[in-house]
Every structure is written in C-alpha cells, then in structure tokens.
Amino acid sequence: MILLQLIYSGIALGMIYAVIAFGYQLTFATSGTLNFGQGEALMLGALVGLTLVGLGVNYWVMVPIVCVFGFIQGAVVERIAVRPAIKTRSEFGWIMATIALGIIFRNVAENVWGRDDLPFPSPLPVAPIKVAGANVLPMELLVVVGALAMMLLVELFNRKSIHGKAFVATSNDRDAAGLMGINTGLVITFSYALSSLTASFAGVLIAPLTLTGATMGAVLGLKAFAVAIIGGLSSGTGVVVGGLILGIAETTTGFYLSTGYKDVPGLVLLLLVLALKPAGLFGKTAIKKV
C-alpha cells in the first residue's frame, strides 16, 4: 500500500511536470524556441492566485483570472525577449533573453511577496480518501484531472478551430504558412501566451499541495524541461509519459533511498535519452536536406 500511495503522489507530481513541459512543446513547435522562464510563469500564477484568494476571491473564480494573467504575461515575454531574436536570426539571443526575464520576474516577486514561502489554502477537503486501498488527497486527484483537461482542451482547440489550424500549419512549416497568408508572428505570440497560460494554471493547481514562493518555479521549470527532452519536444504523448516516469521515480526514490537522491533518477534518465535517442522517447528525428 505504501508503494501504491507513492505512485499516486508521483502521478500527481508528474502531471504538473507534463503541463509545464507541454508549454515548452507549444513554443518549440511554432518557432523552434523555448521559454526558459516557464517556471517563473508558474510561480507568478501561484502568487497572483494566492493574492486573489487572500482578497476573498473564490478559488474557482480565481483560476480563469490567473489564466488570463498568464496569457498576457506570455505574450509580453515573446514580444520583449523572443521576437527580436527571431528577426535578427540570433541562435542564442532568445535563450539569454528568456532567462534574463525569468530572473527579473523572480526578483519582482521577491520584492512584492517577500522571500518567505507562503501556504496556499486548499479549495478541497484535506482529509485523504481511499483509492484501491491507498490514501489519496482530493487535491492530487484535481491536479491529475485538471492537467489532463488543460492539455486536452489545447489539443481540441488546435484540431477544431480555424486559429488552431493556423497554429498547426505554422508548426508544420512556418515559411509555407506565411506564404499562405497566415500571420506567423501572431501565431508565435499566441503560442507563448498559451504556454504561459498552462504554466500559470499548473501553478494554482500545485500551490495547495506545497508552499508558494518566489523560488518555487525554478526547480519545477528545470524538471519540466527534462521531461520535455525525455518524452520528445514533438510528442504530446511523450510529455505525459515522461512526466509520469519522472514523478513516480522521484517519489519512490525519495522514500526508499533518501530525499537527497530523489532528483538523481530523472537526471540519469535524461542523460541516457540524450545519449541513445536524442529526439526523445516519443520524438521523431527530423531529416533535413542540405
């Protein structure tokens, strides 16, 4: 039963990694770039959500407000940090720019909310419930359901809406999409906005299970990046499977070995994937004609 309980906790943690990694995948598909301040988007979403709840806003009303905030924040990141690098065809400009913005966001959060970690009130009962003989927190179930629902909604948007089809066309061939009249610059901005929206949503999901603070996003963003690489930046299924593998590996290692070693399995797996299958477990290697 202990192992089953660890697996349940690992699944909840892994789904948070998957949602953040899904955001990495969104921006990489349209522009070939990544937002290395993705963890800070999660952190800001959690802290803004905590402030709204503290002002008396209901948790379920707060969630869409935070998503709108994340959407705007992502668009700002693309405009300031990524678009200039794309225009000048700088290979490393967007990396340093997104990292710099992430540090700025973290410093702003420290000055506004302080350096101490803060508790986030849970919208659900804190008493665990029994599932197949093991205890599960209701909030952990909400994390899993919410993360899957968010990724499913984005996929449905891409498949069913005209704007989503423009997103898919840009991800398949940006130059051809531009020739067909699609505003690829706007699509890239939208992908960054959507990426930060998913991260902010993940922030308010995980916040009641942990402490909320200015540094909470740094480690989560880095691990989600590892999940994106392990699963494959071109595969939605890959980020889910990669997140589950890393989440379960962390919880079981932390219990059976030591909490000091819980980060080791994921890093070892990352090194193995990079050495044996650089495109990721579910990723496809692109062949380019020169």
Side-chain angles (χ1 to χ4, degrees):
M1 290 303 102
I2 292 178
L3 176 60
L4 186 59
Q5 194 160 333
L6 292 171
I7 291 174
Y8 287 159
S9 298
I11 290 173
L13 180 61
M15 291 309 301
I16 289 296
Y17 292 156
V19 171
I20 307 172
F22 187 65
Y24 284 123
Q25 185 188 93
L26 290 173
T27 60
F28 185 78
T30 57
S31 63
T33 63
L34 300 168
N35 180 12
F36 285 102
Q38 188 79 340
E40 278 62 44
L42 176 145
M43 172 269 295
L44 287 174
L47 287 172
V48 169
L50 179 63
T51 300
L52 291 173
V53 170
L55 292 174
V57 179
N58 182 273
Y59 180 89
W60 308 109
V61 176
M62 172 271 296
V63 171
I65 297 175
V66 168
C67 288
V68 172
F69 168 82
F71 188 88
I72 296 172
Q73 187 258 347
V76 170
V77 169
E78 191 277 336
R79 290 282 182 170
I80 295 175
V82 180
R83 179 161 296 195
I86 293 177
K87 285 184 177 180
T88 59
R89 298 185 182 275
S90 173
E91 294 184 5
F92 304 106
W94 57 270
I95 298 176
M96 299 310 301
T98 55
I99 291 174
L101 270 182
I103 294 172
I104 291 171
F105 288 144
R106 194 182 314 155
N107 287 338
V108 169
E110 288 177 349
N111 284 282
V112 173
W113 286 279
R115 295 174 179 266
D116 296 330
D117 292 330
L118 305 170
F120 196 112
S122 176
L124 299 178
V126 295
I129 58 177
K130 287 281 186 180
V131 177
N135 291 327
V136 182
L137 293 175
M139 199 64 209
E140 290 179 335
L141 293 176
L142 178 63
V143 165
V144 175
V145 173
L148 289 173
M150 172 59 72
M151 290 186 282
L152 180 60
L153 284 173
V154 173
E155 285 296 321
L156 287 175
F157 172 82
N158 289 340
R159 293 175 184 272
K160 301 296 183 181
S161 71
I162 186 66
H163 300 291
K165 291 177 180 178
F167 184 96
V168 174
T170 303
S171 65
N172 288 333
D173 192 325
R174 191 168 70 197
D175 293 333
L179 292 173
M180 294 299 293
I182 295 174
N183 187 339
T184 56
L186 186 61
V187 171
I188 293 173
T189 301
F190 180 79
S191 70
Y192 267 82
L194 197 58
S195 171
S196 291
L197 182 154
T198 59
S200 298
F201 178 71
V204 294
L205 277 184
I206 197 174
L209 294 174
T210 182
L211 294 175
T212 306
T215 59
M216 68 179 293
V219 175
L220 288 171
L222 183 60
K223 290 181 178 179
F225 178 67
V227 166
I229 299 300
I230 291 171
L233 279 167
S234 60
S235 172
T237 302
V239 296
V240 174
V241 174
L244 293 177
I245 290 174
L246 185 58
I248 293 172
E250 283 190 5
T251 54
T252 53
T253 301
F255 181 82
Y256 289 110
L257 293 181
S258 169
T259 54
Y261 291 106
K262 68 184 180 70
D263 296 328
V264 173
L267 296 176
V268 171
L269 181 58
L270 175 63
L271 293 174
L272 289 174
V273 170
L274 288 175
L276 301 176
K277 202 173 186 301
L281 296 177
F282 291 84
K284 295 180 181 180
T285 303
I287 300 175
K288 295 184 179 181
K289 294 182 180 180
V290 179

